[in-house]
Each structure stands twice: as structure tokens, then as C-alpha cells.
Amino acid sequence: MKRKSKFSGFILMMLLVLAIPTAVNAATLKASISGATKPATLKKGASFIVKGKVTAKTKLKEVRVLVYNPVTKKFPIRYEIKNVNSKTCDISVADPYVVFGNLPVGTYYYRVFCVGQNGNTKRVLNKKFTVVGNGQIKIVNPRPSTNIALSRGASYAISGTIKSTYKLASVSALITNASGKTVYSATVKPQKTSYNLKNSALDAKMLFNKLAVGTYKFKVTAKDAQGKTANVIYRTITIKKATTSTTPGSTGSNTTDNNGSYLNTTGTVTVPAGFVARTGRPAASNKYFYNKNYNIYYKYNSLAPTGKSSGGGYVLGNCTWYACGRAMEIVAKAGGNITKVQAIFGGDPVGIYNTNVALKKFKYGKQPKVGALAVFNYGSDGNAHIAVVEKIINGVPYVSESGFTIGSTKPNSARSNIIFKYQSIYNWAGGRSLRGYIYLV
């Protein structure tokens, strides 16, 4: 009995010894990674593309893509590719969820960790890398570039391209009065490394033409994805009392700086069927000009001759108000849909042209045609202009137009004192370049 007991114990011990290598082998997964991208030195906020293919001898259950912080001993980035159920795994599927751009400056380890179906594991990648530096935010060709003074009621367009090392989380524009109270403010979230202020959502919200006489501060602030903030524009804006003369760029002066052939046409002049040229003021009963349900600008006392005081006087005309009404009148008489006109109007002349290009509501080009809107770029004074081609005589376009004017006289019931002109295109084109024509019919 004693011998049998010793023999049985020996057999049991041998079985345990033989079992040890098997247990060790079971704990290690045979796997490797190929084609992997490996970070080295990254600028703070910069992105990194995750790529690579994990291959194992047996089916994988899970693959983990990790970033380890040796200081905090935590994983600021962790993504698990679950239910792999295959011997291979493309880790690029984790790329959208592994955001290196959010990592602060410091040292990290980029790791890829595999788990087999039976729980066996292996780390196939362990790469040390660093995040360095701070981002830069700047603006190119800012407008205004200096402190400026405007006549009350004058439109003004901001511009400039904001550039950042890292993605811009937000860009804000702000106008405050002398007491520090906010008059107009707006914020956008570009989520890209550059943002153009020209004809932007911020530009549309800064209503310089509605500011009362006084002194204001105008500021544009940009913030990047890392929290860095910079004031890219910070200017003083002085609004002066307007006279009864027309704002430059609304009807312009009678200079002839642009008396060149670039405004003329040498082609055949075609008058659209049913088109009737307007050479006189629209009647007070004309809904396209004097009804807020039709004309976008008539909703605002400072943008159209409504008969109401605009604070420092009465508005007697505006080029965009007139062009909007005349465009609807032309399109309606041609049997078209005036909502197409309303879709492109609302901004300044350059904004109207750019909106039409983007929305493709009407055809556009550089050749003048009867029934087209003529749009000119900003002049040195910051104003643009829009008019309507009514006739082409000896190759020269003749236009109907209005101009931004503030006076002490209230618009009369017949609207006979509203600013209106019918004249050669050269009478107001001085000093401005042609942006193009919008062909309404």
C-alpha cells in the first residue's frame, strides 16, 4: 500500500510538470502588426492618421488602440475594436475615434494591444512619442486695418483671412459702444485652420450702417482647438453725422476714371420679350419697392425710404433696396418667380453677387445685357454698388439706380423726393472695378 501511494504521487507530480509549459504557451498570443503608422514628434493640436494591419495565428477577439501617459499613468486615448472574430484586423477603423490633436504637450506611448478568443494577449506596438509647441493665430489683409470713420448709415464690409496652426474652434465679432455695451455680436465655429471674413456670416451680422452717431470698438477674436485666444482685429469705429449728399459708392461721383471699353458691349443688343425699361421713379404704390413682404430691405428703416426716421435723419434711397425691387419687377413681368430674387438679396452688392454664384439662381457673366444687374466691387472708401441695365445705346449701358442718402426731409406720400437716377453707367463707375452682371431674364 505504501509503495503504491508513492508511485501515485510521482505520477501526479509528473503530470503537473508537463502541464506547466502548456499553460505558459496559452498565455501568449502569436500576433504581429504590419504597415503601421508610428508617431514621433507631433505639434500640439496636429492630427495623426492611424493605420496598420494586425495578423494573428488564431482568431482575434479584440484589438485595442491606446495612448498611455507615463506621468499620470492613465490612457487619455483608448479605443477598442470589438468582436473581431478573424485572424486579421485593420486598425484604421479606429482612426476617427483616436484624436491625437487633443493631447497636451508631453511624452506618451502609442500602443496596439491584441486579445485572442481564449483571452490570450499580446502588445504588438509600443512607440514613444512627444507632443510639442504652441499654436499661432494671425490674420492676413485685415479690414479695417486701422481706426476708421464712417458717415451714419454707410455700409461697411469687414474682410481678412484668419490663419491658425491648429483648427479654429471659434471666431467671434463684436461691436461695443462707448459705454462698453454690446451692440452687435456673432460667433462661428469653423473647425478648420483658416477662415475668411469677407462675405462671411460674421460680416453679415456687423450692421455698421445701423450704428448711431458715436464711437465704437470693433473686435474680432479667434480661438483655436487648444484654447489659445487672439484678438486679430481691434479697432475704433467713429460714426459721423451724415449729410444729405449721397454716400460714395451708392450712386458714386460723376468722375470718369473708368471711361474705358471694359464696360461697353460690342455684341448684338437683345431686349427680352415684354421688357419695359424704367427711366423714372417707381410709384409709391409699387409693392416690389415699398412693401416689406416683398422687398427685404424695406423691413429696415435705415436701409430703405420707409418714411420713418432713422435716428439722424430720413433715408431717401439705397442702391440695394432699389435693385431688389427692380429685380423683382423685371422677373415678375417676365413670368418668373420672385423668390429667386429674394434668395440672393439681403447683403451688400458684392454679397448679392457672390450669393447668386453660390446658389446659381441666375446666370452671370462680364457682358452687359438689358435687364441685368450690374455689380461693382468695393472702392477705396469701402463701398460697393449695384444698378440695373435698362438700355444699351451705342454699346454703352444705361442704368437705373438709387443711392444711400440721409436727409432731414421725410419721404413724401408720392415718393417723388426719393433718390433715383437713370444715366450712363460711366456716371457712377469711377474708381471701381466691375464684378459682373447677373442676368435676370
Side-chain angles (χ1 to χ4, degrees):
M1 290 293 293
K2 200 169 182 181
R3 264 185 207 176
K4 187 176 181 182
S5 177
K6 285 184 178 180
F7 182 78
S8 297
F10 177 78
I11 295 297
L12 181 60
M13 185 180 294
M14 291 300 295
L15 288 174
L16 288 172
V17 171
L18 291 172
I20 289 174
T22 304
V24 172
N25 289 336
T28 303
L29 175 69
K30 292 184 178 180
S32 61
I33 190 168
S34 60
T37 49
K38 301 175 183 179
T41 301
L42 300 178
K43 288 185 178 181
K44 182 182 175 184
S47 60
F48 172 77
I49 299 175
V50 172
K51 288 183 180 180
K53 182 180 180 181
V54 174
T55 303
K57 293 292 185 180
T58 57
K59 285 186 176 181
L60 295 163
K61 178 182 179 181
E62 181 177 298
V63 175
R64 300 169 190 166
V65 180
L66 313 164
V67 171
Y68 176 69
N69 187 331
V71 177
T72 63
K73 301 188 183 305
K74 294 181 178 180
F75 294 89
I77 295 177
R78 182 187 183 100
Y79 184 78
E80 298 172 356
I81 307 171
K82 296 184 177 181
N83 302 318
V84 177
N85 197 30
S86 173
K87 293 182 180 180
T88 61
C89 179
D90 185 353
I91 66 170
S92 64
V93 298
D95 182 67
Y97 310 98
V98 180
V99 185
F100 282 70
N102 293 335
L103 293 171
V105 170
T107 300
Y108 303 88
Y109 287 89
Y110 173 54
R111 294 173 176 174
V112 178
F113 191 78
C114 306
V115 181
Q117 292 285 356
N118 296 325
N120 39 356
T121 62
K122 186 173 183 181
R123 183 192 295 167
V124 293
L125 182 61
N126 186 37
K127 178 68 169 64
K128 185 178 181 180
F129 69 97
T130 55
V131 176
V132 299
N134 291 307
Q136 182 186 40
I137 303 174
K138 63 179 182 179
I139 189 168
V140 179
N141 299 322
R143 186 173 189 269
S145 57
T146 60
N147 299 334
I148 61 170
L150 302 172
S151 294
R152 190 185 187 284
S155 296
Y156 187 82
I158 64 175
S159 63
T161 302
I162 301 171
K163 296 185 177 182
S164 175
T165 306
Y166 313 119
K167 288 183 178 180
L168 291 164
S170 65
V171 178
S172 301
L174 176 70
I175 296 177
T176 55
N177 61 19
S179 301
K181 184 180 179 180
T182 297
V183 181
Y184 297 112
S185 64
T187 299
V188 294
K189 298 180 179 180
Q191 299 302 320
K192 54 185 180 181
T193 56
S194 67
Y195 183 74
N196 194 342
L197 294 171
K198 188 174 182 179
N199 298 320
S200 65
L202 295 183
D203 180 34
K205 296 289 186 179
M206 299 297 105
L207 305 180
F208 292 92
N209 58 297
K210 289 190 176 183
L211 294 174
V213 172
T215 301
Y216 300 83
K217 293 292 184 181
F218 171 62
K219 180 166 65 174
V220 177
T221 303
K223 182 178 180 180
D224 68 17
Q226 304 307 307
K228 182 175 181 177
T229 302
N231 292 329
V232 292
I233 298 179
Y234 191 45
R235 304 296 178 196
T236 298
I237 310 294
T238 303
I239 304 298
K240 303 181 297 181
K241 186 176 180 180
T243 64
T244 56
S245 61
T246 303
T247 303
S250 295
T251 55
S253 63
N254 288 327
T255 59
T256 55
D257 297 344
N258 278 336
N259 277 1
S261 60
Y262 84 103
L263 290 175
N264 289 9
T265 178
T266 56
T268 302
V269 177
T270 302
V271 179
F275 180 84
V276 179
R278 175 172 287 287
T279 58
R281 290 181 180 85
S285 59
N286 192 317
K287 63 185 180 183
Y288 298 121
F289 295 88
Y290 304 105
N291 188 314
K292 67 180 181 180
N293 294 323
Y294 288 86
N295 195 305
I296 293 170
Y297 301 91
Y298 202 72
K299 298 177 182 179
Y300 307 102
N301 298 338
S302 60
L303 295 178
T306 63
K308 298 177 181 178
S309 174
S310 57
Y314 294 94
V315 175
L316 297 176
N318 188 12
C319 67
T320 50
W321 155 75
Y322 174 82
C324 181
R326 180 61 178 137
M328 285 190 287
E329 188 177 54
I330 291 172
V331 170
K333 287 185 177 181
N337 190 338
I338 63 169
T339 60
K340 291 173 63 179
V341 176
Q342 293 168 326
I344 67 171
F345 275 84
D348 67 7
V350 173
I352 292 165
Y353 188 88
N354 291 344
T355 298
N356 181 63
V357 171
L359 298 181
K360 297 181 174 61
K361 294 293 182 180
F362 300 99
K363 293 181 179 180
Y364 54 92
K366 297 291 186 181
Q367 181 75 6
K369 294 182 182 180
V370 172
L373 297 170
V375 181
F376 274 68
N377 288 311
Y378 304 110
S380 58
D381 51 18
N383 294 297
H385 185 54
I386 186 169
V388 184
V389 179
E390 303 288 352
K391 294 181 181 180
I392 296 178
I393 303 173
N394 296 326
V396 178
Y398 278 71
V399 298
S400 65
E401 60 182 339
S402 182
F404 192 84
T405 305
I406 293 180
S408 58
T409 304
K410 182 179 179 179
N412 60 37
S413 59
R415 298 296 191 265
S416 60
N417 61 340
I418 300 303
I419 297 299
F420 170 88
K421 291 185 179 181
Y422 169 73
Q423 57 189 2
S424 162
I425 200 169
Y426 290 103
N427 285 13
W428 51 260
R432 288 169 182 80
S433 60
L434 176 71
R435 194 167 192 88
Y437 296 88
I438 299 174
Y439 306 126
L440 302 170
V441 289

